[in-house]
Amino acid sequence: MVQEPNQGGSRSVALERVSPPRLFFALLRRRFSGALHLEQPTPEPVARTVWFHGGMPVYTDWASERDLLGEVLIGEGLITPAQCDQGLSVKAAEGGPLGEILQRLECIDGAGLSRGMSRQCARKLAHVFELRGGNVGLEPGASPPGNDASHRHPVNVLRLIHDGVAAYYDELRLRAELGAVLSGHVAATGVFGRYRGHFSFAASLDPTLDALTRGAVAERLLGQGPSPLLVMRTIYCAWACQMLELGPRAAESEATEASTESTATEGRAENTANTAKSSPRINKPTDRALADVTPSGGTGTTKAATPSVRRGAPEHAAYEAELAKLEAQVASDAHAFGLFSLEIDASRKDIRQAWADLSRKFHPDALAAEGRFYLRDRVQRVFAAVSEAYSVLSDKDARAKLKAALAIRPDAGRELDPATIVRNAFQAEFETRDGDKLVKAGSYARALEAYERSLVFSPDEIDVIAAAQWCRFQLTPRNRDDAQRAASVLDSAVASQPSCARAHYYLGLVRLHLGLERMALVSFDTAHEADPKLIDAERQAHAIRIKNKEKTKARGKKSFGLRGLFGRRSD
């Protein structure tokens, strides 16, 4: 694990101890802003730098003849070869950056150039994953050359990790780093389930990803996927990004999933039928919509478009114009209402309708049938942004916060743009996980600090509020007044979010402390019903029932017959 560098100076990190995937993810998690200094070994050792902003790489001077800007822009469908040649001719005659020349020649707009430069940066950085040793330096606070927004083109770190692993991690390297992970149970965490689409896994890995989410034996998974190497890379990506449970906890997840699968399948079938009748489908940016990844490819390759597809054909002009408009809005950090072209007082019905229209039109899965497969990478990025915007507008509290911010300052949407929300969600998730681990270790003071950091990024998470309150209670003398105060806070938590299993569970524990067993039993039963994997709640409820049963038996024996009436006769 990489510790956050001191803001007062640089520090060094050994790649023998922290591989590039784990290093990049650690910097994402720490929201590192500054420079990463490393050495490019080929064609000759040269010092290179990667600049970060808010945990995401935004610029690099890594050299790669395979990833020249013109070639990248052509490959992304942003310019034609003729336009590239025109720009290169002007560059040769007048000098200057090719991107600025192409924009001046109106071959590309600002949003398209930014997108292309972000992709170029990602492709260059994938080569960093070839490094297996040496020291890299971290310099907090350093800015890209020029120190302006034109040099900042944020890169999706999860996709970067996937692309780098696909390009440079063979079976020998994977086994060396994973070690014992491959010989035991593994289960993906909830964070992985939420963000697995950001990795751009191949669609053929869907069954493997589903099995990993449920929990499985790693070696068994290797024999069930499209190829052992692809599956091993998938497991590695989840492990390097701290999204994998190992050992007994993973085995417990697998057992719990198996025990509830038959009931859940029936429930899902019934719910799916009802949902199909009553409401429009709500699509999420899952990895089914993403590009296939070839293990030997440098950054992942997409399936070739069918011969009948013509880039920029007249029948696609209106669609591409609308896509370009959305891309410009995303690039300019348009707030969620703006992205949906809605007023801030739009009703929930208007929001759902706008989402249904956009998701139907720009869902990546629909491109092949429409002959627009060549647009998939562009559409995928837009669809991800639209989906994140919908997650804001469909959440009552998040929508209210955005409306309040926009009422005060119309440009406040930048502070709550989808990318920021995703980063905040990541940070909150991982701070919460740190807190959970510390609670299990009985370190309540440190756990409380972690939960409070999580609440800075996501202040309305009832689950975390409940956990923080439980830690505060543990740090008091735990007298009756302390317990009553804790119960009052937890009562409010479950009232505001009745489905929060952990709030019910902690309320049950506090009620037990107060001697309110019947009320505690209700809390534990409610917690287990809300989350069947919360085994501790089921155990607590079982213990109370056993205790009550024994009490009932004891009372029955004491009151039975004349001996119970007059007391036991002594010999």
Side-chain angles (χ1 to χ4, degrees):
M1 180 65 190
V2 178
Q3 296 178 352
E4 185 174 10
N6 295 325
Q7 297 299 315
S10 61
R11 59 162 296 182
S12 178
V13 177
L15 287 179
E16 290 86 354
R17 297 182 59 193
V18 182
S19 63
R22 295 172 62 202
L23 173 62
F24 274 79
F25 184 76
L27 295 177
L28 171 67
R29 180 180 175 183
R30 297 294 181 184
R31 300 170 66 86
F32 174 71
S33 292
L36 173 69
H37 302 293
L38 65 168
E39 190 173 87
Q40 181 174 354
T42 55
E44 60 183 24
V46 178
R48 300 292 182 190
T49 302
V50 183
W51 285 271
F52 288 76
H53 182 72
M56 293 187 292
V58 293
Y59 187 73
T60 182
D61 59 6
W62 187 279
S64 173
E65 292 185 358
R66 291 176 285 175
D67 304 307
L68 299 176
L69 179 60
E71 296 298 321
V72 172
L73 294 177
I74 293 172
E76 293 290 306
L78 297 170
I79 62 172
T80 65
Q83 289 172 326
C84 181
D85 290 342
Q86 182 185 5
L88 290 173
S89 298
V90 174
K91 177 179 174 68
E94 303 176 5
L98 176 61
E100 293 180 7
I101 293 171
L102 290 170
Q103 193 172 1
R104 189 173 74 239
L105 295 173
E106 297 185 350
C107 297
I108 192 171
D109 59 17
L113 179 60
S114 178
R115 185 170 63 252
M117 295 187 74
S118 174
R119 190 68 193 130
Q120 182 195 32
C121 182
R123 286 174 54 167
K124 286 182 176 182
L125 291 178
H127 304 310
V128 172
F129 289 66
E130 185 178 11
L131 300 178
R132 300 191 181 208
N135 290 331
V136 298
L138 293 172
E139 183 184 357
S143 299
N147 194 24
D148 60 31
S150 66
H151 287 84
R152 292 182 178 178
H153 308 286
V155 171
N156 176 354
V157 176
L158 299 186
R159 180 177 177 181
L160 171 63
I161 289 172
H162 173 271
D163 289 350
V165 170
Y168 293 109
Y169 277 66
D170 57 17
E171 183 174 350
L172 186 63
R173 187 176 184 184
L174 290 165
R175 287 190 178 277
E177 289 203 28
L178 287 170
V181 172
L182 292 174
S183 61
H185 283 82
V186 291
T189 65
V191 180
F192 181 81
R194 186 178 302 177
Y195 296 107
R196 81 185 204 184
H198 293 257
F199 285 93
S200 295
F201 290 118
S204 59
L205 282 167
D206 277 355
T208 299
L209 295 169
D210 292 339
L212 191 61
T213 300
R214 294 191 298 268
V217 177
E219 289 289 357
R220 191 182 303 162
L221 274 181
L222 299 183
Q224 296 174 347
S227 82
L229 183 58
L230 274 178
V231 174
M232 201 178 299
R233 285 171 174 157
T234 303
I235 293 173
Y236 179 83
C237 286
W239 174 79
C241 296
Q242 300 181 32
M243 299 181 186
L244 203 65
E245 295 283 3
L246 308 175
R249 292 188 63 184
E252 183 177 280
S253 296
E254 181 183 11
T256 303
E257 183 72 24
S259 67
T260 60
E261 181 61 26
S262 59
T263 303
T265 301
E266 295 174 4
R268 283 195 298 270
E270 182 178 353
N271 290 337
T272 301
N274 292 337
T275 301
K277 295 176 182 177
S278 61
S279 62
R281 179 186 176 191
I282 296 178
N283 296 307
K284 295 291 184 180
T286 64
D287 45 279
R288 288 184 176 85
L290 305 180
D292 288 331
V293 180
T294 303
S296 60
T299 60
T301 57
T302 59
K303 297 177 182 177
T306 59
S308 61
V309 173
R310 292 182 295 127
R311 296 172 182 255
E315 60 267 28
H316 302 319
Y319 182 88
E320 291 189 40
E322 190 172 355
L323 175 61
K325 179 181 177 182
L326 281 171
E327 288 174 321
Q329 288 178 296
V330 172
S332 64
D333 291 335
H335 57 75
F337 286 107
L339 202 58
F340 278 60
S341 299
L342 293 172
E343 299 295 330
I344 65 171
D345 59 351
S347 67
R348 294 184 64 183
K349 181 179 178 180
D350 293 335
I351 293 169
R352 285 195 297 267
Q353 185 60 52
W355 159 251
D357 292 342
L358 284 175
S359 63
R360 182 171 56 252
K361 186 176 294 186
F362 293 102
H363 196 290
D365 287 349
L367 294 175
E370 301 292 335
R372 298 173 180 145
F373 195 82
Y374 65 95
L375 294 170
R376 183 165 63 173
D377 283 349
R378 294 175 61 188
V379 169
Q380 176 188 313
R381 284 186 287 268
V382 166
F383 185 73
V386 169
S387 299
E388 291 294 344
Y390 180 70
S391 71
V392 174
L393 297 182
S394 61
D395 182 278
K396 181 179 178 181
D397 293 334
R399 185 171 69 252
K401 285 183 180 180
L402 179 56
K403 288 176 66 175
L406 292 172
I408 297 172
R409 187 160 56 88
D411 63 347
R414 178 179 295 270
E415 299 172 4
L416 291 170
D417 66 278
T420 300
I421 292 168
V422 171
R423 288 196 299 272
N424 286 351
F426 260 119
Q427 187 65 27
E429 287 272 9
F430 289 111
E431 294 291 359
T432 299
R433 286 184 62 198
D434 284 347
D436 293 346
K437 292 176 183 177
L438 291 165
V439 166
K440 290 179 184 295
S443 182
Y444 295 108
R446 292 178 59 199
L448 178 58
E449 292 175 359
Y451 290 136
E452 288 177 338
R453 288 194 299 270
S454 176
L455 290 170
V456 169
F457 296 101
S458 187
D460 298 321
E461 283 293 328
I462 298 300
D463 188 73
V464 182
I465 291 172
Q469 183 55 43
W470 173 247
C471 291
R472 292 189 189 96
F473 174 61
Q474 292 298 313
L475 294 171
T476 67
R478 294 194 292 177
N479 56 36
R480 190 168 186 82
D481 288 341
D482 296 327
Q484 288 176 338
R485 278 193 293 271
S488 176
V489 173
L490 292 167
D491 265 325
S492 299
V494 298
S496 62
Q497 189 175 323
S499 62
C500 182
R502 186 148 62 163
H504 285 288
Y505 174 66
Y506 286 138
L507 179 57
L509 292 178
V510 174
R511 284 173 168 174
L512 268 186
H513 190 82
L514 289 167
L516 305 173
E517 287 190 355
R518 290 184 180 180
M519 296 178 69
L521 180 59
V522 172
S523 294
F524 293 135
D525 282 341
T526 305
H528 187 250
E529 182 180 350
D531 181 7
K533 291 186 178 181
L534 189 52
I535 305 300
D536 287 341
E538 184 182 30
R539 290 171 179 163
Q540 291 285 354
H542 182 67
I544 293 175
R545 288 191 172 92
I546 292 294
K547 184 178 178 181
N548 289 340
K549 189 175 181 179
E550 290 175 351
K551 285 181 179 179
T552 301
K553 284 183 178 180
R555 285 196 299 269
K557 287 181 180 180
K558 184 175 180 180
S559 61
F560 182 77
L562 294 176
R563 180 176 295 182
L565 181 61
F566 295 106
R568 188 170 184 174
R569 189 176 67 182
S570 58
D571 293 331

